[in-house]
Amino acid sequence: MFPEFSLRYARLPERFYLRFDPVPVPEPRLVAFNRPLAEALGFDLTTFDEQRAAEWFSGNAVPPGADPVAQAYAGHQFGHFNPRLGDGRAVLLGEVVDREGRLRDIQLKGAGMTPFSRGADGRAPLGPVLREYLVSEAMHRLGVPTTRALAAVTSGERVFRRVPEPGAVLTRVASSHLRVGTFQYFAARDDVEAVRTLADMAIERHYPHLLGPELAEGERYLALLEAVAERQAALVAKWMGLGFIHGVMNTDNCAISGETIDYGPCAFMEAYSSTMVFSSIDEQGRYAYRNQPWIAQWNLARFAETLIPLIDDDQEAAIEKATAVIERYETRYEAEWLGVMRAKLGLAGEEEGDRALVEAFLETLAAGRADFTLAFRRLSEALQEDAPALLELFEDSQALREWLPRWRERLAREAASPEAVAARMNATNPLYIPRNHQVERAIAAASEHDDFAPFEALREVLAEPYAEQSGCEAYAEPAPAAERVLRTFCGT
């Protein structure tokens, strides 16, 4: 059933990983399987056997051709450097070439205690596995670069976090699991050749346009830094446009590919607040919504530090070149963010006052405590006259009423029909997101009652986030007061 593994990472020198066979679980059961993704990866589903799949996706059996390894990496966690983290509960089975010719990692998460576990049990509770499955697949459908979920398996055992919970294993697919922290692991050990090996791998896998004789070696690694910064700027701008809060933007969760990785205490905002924090472990608000762009820049600076010996033999010259790239990030991010927000307001062109118009709308959301997602979605109904469904989202709509004429006047200068603008906006502003209370309902039903119907129903709705779906109105609504989620938790 599995496509052929290429084992690129497992063929690196052994200091890049530790070999590790997944720890078997007592009763593996396949509870979710992403058939479209499996087909895109090249799986042969004509021979699909659910029980055999459960054995493979739980780690009870190693798929043919796989060579499981736990990857080594370090990381700044909430600003504090840990020189040795690594895959404490994950195992890379290997890489496959998908039907479009792209190399993709296949990783089990929750596969047992590895040599990097640092005393933890190496397992994953069912709740965080289902959360990552739902949110990562929703992000994919929303057009955000992300790791993806291939399968979820319950383990038949309990794991202990705040309370005993059913155990599970997630199969995750990524363009790669190279992180800023992967580079930091070797830079902290002054292993320049290992950093060079990683940089060459990153270029080959993610930035092949940098290959070729036109770039000198140092220029190529500087161009890698620039390319990673460009992708991070675009990625975080997309997060901000969706009201998504990652929750744990440590350097070990910053992917070199530019994909969103690690859906631990993540959440989507409802009532807009730029200072919103959900993560139970982010007590100081380091990774609050408004801080995400600048934390990404901070992480990129840590990446730049690892590349200094590769960029130029003259350390001062290398630092100067890398610093210039990091400083350009701010301008790049602002352009990406403004492009995202223009599209959300239905603006096709660019005018000097657009930023002020966007910021004024966000201020109306904050003043009225309006739902971020629905306010943008229903804005298309107010192109010609005030829309009751939009106004009712605001506790106080006076600021919005004053803003709407400014927005309509700006749109009028583009001479597009209201129908065309509305269609454009509704293709940009989703109706359905993984609302925290809906995710928690699905998790509770599965964890407490072994009922996966709410999970499946939510997954189906989130597969079409921009299209209005009959009978699914409740999935678009903010949480009732009694179900508001104010804190989210890691699965470790």
Tab-separated table of all heavy atoms in Angstrom, residues 77-78 247-248 250 253 264-265 277-287 487-492:
chain	number	residue	atom	x	y	z
A	77	GLN	N	12.737	28.067	23.286
A	77	GLN	CA	11.377	27.866	23.761
A	77	GLN	C	11.007	29.034	24.670
A	77	GLN	O	11.596	29.207	25.732
A	77	GLN	CB	11.269	26.534	24.495
A	77	GLN	CG	11.606	25.344	23.588
A	77	GLN	CD	11.375	24.022	24.274
A	77	GLN	OE1	11.928	23.742	25.331
A	77	GLN	NE2	10.546	23.189	23.661
A	78	PHE	N	10.070	29.850	24.189
A	78	PHE	CA	9.694	31.074	24.895
A	78	PHE	C	10.931	31.926	25.197
A	78	PHE	O	11.068	32.514	26.271
A	78	PHE	CB	8.894	30.746	26.170
A	78	PHE	CG	7.539	30.169	25.863
A	78	PHE	CD1	7.380	28.805	25.680
A	78	PHE	CD2	6.441	31.006	25.709
A	78	PHE	CE1	6.133	28.274	25.369
A	78	PHE	CE2	5.191	30.482	25.393
A	78	PHE	CZ	5.030	29.116	25.229
A	247	GLY	N	0.321	29.987	18.892
A	247	GLY	CA	0.386	29.657	20.302
A	247	GLY	C	1.745	29.249	20.827
A	247	GLY	O	2.007	29.392	22.015
A	248	VAL	N	2.604	28.717	19.961
A	248	VAL	CA	3.913	28.267	20.458
A	248	VAL	C	4.953	28.381	19.338
A	248	VAL	O	5.445	27.406	18.811
A	248	VAL	CB	3.825	26.841	21.054
A	248	VAL	CG1	3.365	25.825	20.039
A	248	VAL	CG2	5.124	26.442	21.719
A	250	ASN	N	8.005	28.735	18.959
A	250	ASN	CA	9.404	28.478	19.286
A	250	ASN	C	10.191	28.199	18.016
A	250	ASN	O	9.603	27.833	16.983
A	250	ASN	CB	9.506	27.290	20.236
A	250	ASN	CG	8.821	27.549	21.567
A	250	ASN	OD1	8.745	28.695	22.016
A	250	ASN	ND2	8.321	26.499	22.191
A	253	ASN	N	9.579	25.134	16.129
A	253	ASN	CA	8.308	25.053	15.415
A	253	ASN	C	8.261	26.024	14.242
A	253	ASN	O	7.175	26.381	13.774
A	253	ASN	CB	7.137	25.341	16.359
A	253	ASN	CG	6.962	24.254	17.403
A	253	ASN	OD1	7.281	23.099	17.155
A	253	ASN	ND2	6.470	24.627	18.570
A	264	GLY	N	-0.275	22.676	18.461
A	264	GLY	CA	-0.482	22.390	19.872
A	264	GLY	C	-1.594	23.247	20.438
A	264	GLY	O	-2.770	22.977	20.241
A	265	PRO	N	-1.238	24.348	21.133
A	265	PRO	CA	-2.279	25.196	21.730
A	265	PRO	C	-2.786	26.273	20.774
A	265	PRO	O	-3.023	27.414	21.162
A	265	PRO	CB	-1.544	25.813	22.923
A	265	PRO	CG	-0.134	25.935	22.446
A	265	PRO	CD	0.104	24.750	21.546
A	277	VAL	N	-4.467	35.827	23.467
A	277	VAL	CA	-3.617	34.677	23.743
A	277	VAL	C	-4.524	33.542	24.187
A	277	VAL	O	-5.434	33.755	24.992
A	277	VAL	CB	-2.600	34.977	24.868
A	277	VAL	CG1	-1.798	33.729	25.228
A	277	VAL	CG2	-1.660	36.097	24.467
A	278	PHE	N	-4.303	32.338	23.671
A	278	PHE	CA	-5.061	31.171	24.108
A	278	PHE	C	-4.191	30.179	24.874
A	278	PHE	O	-4.661	29.514	25.788
A	278	PHE	CB	-5.699	30.451	22.915
A	278	PHE	CG	-6.888	31.168	22.341
A	278	PHE	CD1	-6.751	32.005	21.253
A	278	PHE	CD2	-8.148	31.002	22.889
A	278	PHE	CE1	-7.850	32.660	20.722
A	278	PHE	CE2	-9.249	31.658	22.375
A	278	PHE	CZ	-9.095	32.493	21.279
A	279	SER	N	-2.935	30.038	24.481
A	279	SER	CA	-2.085	28.986	25.026
A	279	SER	C	-1.943	29.093	26.543
A	279	SER	O	-1.572	30.150	27.084
A	279	SER	CB	-0.700	29.052	24.381
A	279	SER	OG	0.195	28.195	25.049
A	280	SER	N	-2.185	27.992	27.223
A	280	SER	CA	-2.092	27.961	28.685
A	280	SER	C	-0.665	28.167	29.181
A	280	SER	O	-0.453	28.558	30.330
A	280	SER	CB	-2.622	26.629	29.213
A	280	SER	OG	-1.810	25.552	28.757
A	281	ILE	N	0.319	27.893	28.324
A	281	ILE	CA	1.716	28.024	28.746
A	281	ILE	C	2.334	29.362	28.355
A	281	ILE	O	3.467	29.649	28.725
A	281	ILE	CB	2.581	26.866	28.192
A	281	ILE	CG1	2.512	26.806	26.664
A	281	ILE	CG2	2.164	25.542	28.808
A	281	ILE	CD1	3.407	25.746	26.059
A	282	ASP	N	1.585	30.196	27.615
A	282	ASP	CA	2.105	31.503	27.205
A	282	ASP	C	1.636	32.553	28.201
A	282	ASP	O	0.816	33.424	27.900
A	282	ASP	CB	1.627	31.841	25.792
A	282	ASP	CG	2.343	33.049	25.200
A	282	ASP	OD1	3.255	33.582	25.867
A	282	ASP	OD2	1.987	33.460	24.078
A	283	GLU	N	2.187	32.486	29.399
A	283	GLU	CA	1.709	33.328	30.489
A	283	GLU	C	2.045	34.803	30.297
A	283	GLU	O	1.361	35.671	30.830
A	283	GLU	CB	2.276	32.825	31.818
A	283	GLU	CG	1.799	31.420	32.172
A	283	GLU	CD	2.433	30.892	33.444
A	283	GLU	OE1	3.350	31.574	33.980
A	283	GLU	OE2	2.025	29.815	33.909
A	284	GLN	N	3.083	35.107	29.529
A	284	GLN	CA	3.500	36.493	29.314
A	284	GLN	C	2.977	37.072	28.003
A	284	GLN	O	3.243	38.229	27.694
A	284	GLN	CB	5.030	36.592	29.353
A	284	GLN	CG	5.665	36.049	30.626
A	284	GLN	CD	5.143	36.730	31.870
A	284	GLN	OE1	5.029	37.953	31.915
A	284	GLN	NE2	4.817	35.939	32.890
A	285	GLY	N	2.265	36.284	27.230
A	285	GLY	CA	1.737	36.784	25.959
A	285	GLY	C	2.781	36.944	24.873
A	285	GLY	O	2.591	37.724	23.932
A	286	ARG	N	3.886	36.217	24.979
A	286	ARG	CA	4.944	36.325	23.970
A	286	ARG	C	4.406	36.051	22.571
A	286	ARG	O	4.776	36.720	21.609
A	286	ARG	CB	6.076	35.350	24.311
A	286	ARG	CG	7.206	35.311	23.287
A	286	ARG	CD	8.283	34.307	23.695
A	286	ARG	NE	9.301	34.140	22.675
A	286	ARG	CZ	10.393	34.909	22.556
A	286	ARG	NH1	10.591	35.895	23.393
A	286	ARG	NH2	11.284	34.673	21.602
A	287	TYR	N	3.524	35.062	22.459
A	287	TYR	CA	3.033	34.661	21.143
A	287	TYR	C	1.601	35.115	20.890
A	287	TYR	O	0.832	34.450	20.198
A	287	TYR	CB	3.154	33.139	21.000
A	287	TYR	CG	4.580	32.634	21.137
A	287	TYR	CD1	4.870	31.457	21.813
A	287	TYR	CD2	5.642	33.351	20.600
A	287	TYR	CE1	6.175	30.998	21.935
A	287	TYR	CE2	6.943	32.902	20.721
A	287	TYR	CZ	7.206	31.729	21.387
A	287	TYR	OH	8.505	31.288	21.515
A	487	ARG	N	-8.660	29.017	26.970
A	487	ARG	CA	-7.339	28.436	27.115
A	487	ARG	C	-7.243	27.140	26.307
A	487	ARG	O	-8.175	26.332	26.297
A	487	ARG	CB	-7.019	28.134	28.582
A	487	ARG	CG	-6.696	29.375	29.404
A	487	ARG	CD	-5.323	29.953	29.000
A	487	ARG	NE	-5.032	31.204	29.699
A	487	ARG	CZ	-5.325	32.406	29.216
A	487	ARG	NH1	-5.922	32.522	28.047
A	487	ARG	NH2	-5.008	33.487	29.899
A	488	THR	N	-6.126	26.972	25.630
A	488	THR	CA	-5.860	25.738	24.908
A	488	THR	C	-4.556	25.137	25.440
A	488	THR	O	-3.720	25.860	25.996
A	488	THR	CB	-5.749	25.988	23.395
A	488	THR	OG1	-4.832	27.059	23.159
A	488	THR	CG2	-7.101	26.362	22.806
A	489	PHE	N	-4.374	23.847	25.243
A	489	PHE	CA	-3.284	23.142	25.914
A	489	PHE	C	-2.463	22.336	24.924
A	489	PHE	O	-2.974	21.822	23.929
A	489	PHE	CB	-3.851	22.210	26.989
A	489	PHE	CG	-4.616	22.936	28.057
A	489	PHE	CD1	-5.963	23.229	27.908
A	489	PHE	CD2	-3.973	23.355	29.216
A	489	PHE	CE1	-6.671	23.912	28.879
A	489	PHE	CE2	-4.664	24.036	30.203
A	489	PHE	CZ	-6.017	24.321	30.040
A	490	CYS	N	-1.177	22.183	25.213
A	490	CYS	CA	-0.292	21.310	24.446
A	490	CYS	C	-0.635	19.854	24.729
A	490	CYS	O	-1.275	19.538	25.743
A	490	CYS	CB	1.166	21.544	24.822
A	490	CYS	SG	1.862	23.074	24.145
A	491	GLY	N	-0.191	18.970	23.863
A	491	GLY	CA	-0.426	17.545	24.076
A	491	GLY	C	0.748	16.831	24.725
A	491	GLY	O	0.745	15.621	24.816
A	492	THR	N	1.751	17.613	25.192
A	492	THR	CA	2.916	16.987	25.805
A	492	THR	C	2.829	17.085	27.309
A	492	THR	O	2.072	17.887	27.845
A	492	THR	CB	4.206	17.669	25.327
A	492	THR	OG1	4.097	19.073	25.551
A	492	THR	CG2	4.424	17.430	23.862
